[in-house]
Amino acid sequence: MEQSRHRPESFAALYDRYFGDIYRYVAARVGPQAADDLASETFLVAFRKREDFDPDRGAVRQWLYGIATNLLAHHRRSETRRLEALARVPMEDPAESEHADRVAAQVTAAGAQHRLAAELSRLPDGERDVLLLAAYGDLSYEEIAQALDVPLGTVASRLHRVRKRLRAALDDITAESGGSDG
């Protein structure tokens, strides 16, 4: 990063190193069509703000995830609409399937998908960001705290609340489908 302040062409090494990670995170959040633009915009913002980067506040990777998350905030309404739409997608008619076990598995999986999508769409923005940075970005608690510029304790409490909420949703689905083996 320091080199790119004096030699802008050296920023390409950061792009080459981190673009795939940022792209995967953004694509998981908004889909592949918007991911190209948002991932590229992340690096454009980073390039323009490279003078503001402070290595004492964290690593470049977390800084880039923070920029990407801020850009995603502009797309939050469409993300919420997408999750709500997924929750409303009708399940496949089990009568069309040939095998009873396969039907039961499909119905349970579809129910879980719908319920989880609905739960994700109802999460507060900060909780959704923390969850998806952990799940899609594979960031540690410390890295998430740096990316979002929040205290480590905030990350831990948000993840705890989200996991508890999603676990309860999955338990409800399991109970509705007749229990589980474990």
Side-chain angles (χ1 to χ4, degrees), residues 83 86-89 91 106-120 170 173:
L83 290 169
L86 182 60
R88 289 189 306 267
V89 172
M91 289 187 275
Q106 287 175 341
V107 169
T108 301
Q113 176 184 354
H114 291 227
R115 180 70 185 268
L116 288 175
E119 290 296 326
L120 285 172
L170 286 174
I173 292 166

Side-chain angles (χ1 to χ4, degrees), residues 63-137:
W63 183 63
L64 291 170
Y65 274 106
I67 292 170
T69 300
N70 287 334
L71 291 172
L72 285 164
H74 296 289
H75 293 270
R76 214 176 293 286
R77 285 199 322 220
S78 63
E79 179 183 45
T80 299
R81 284 193 301 266
R82 185 171 62 88
L83 290 169
E84 288 170 347
L86 182 60
R88 289 189 306 267
V89 172
M91 289 187 275
E92 199 173 291
D93 183 3
E96 295 176 4
S97 183
E98 296 176 41
H99 192 268
D101 289 338
R102 197 164 123 207
V103 171
Q106 287 175 341
V107 169
T108 301
Q113 176 184 354
H114 291 227
R115 180 70 185 268
L116 288 175
E119 290 296 326
L120 285 172
S121 73
R122 288 192 290 267
L123 287 176
D125 295 343
E127 290 181 7
R128 186 181 314 135
D129 288 339
V130 167
L131 173 69
L132 297 178
L133 280 167
Y136 295 147

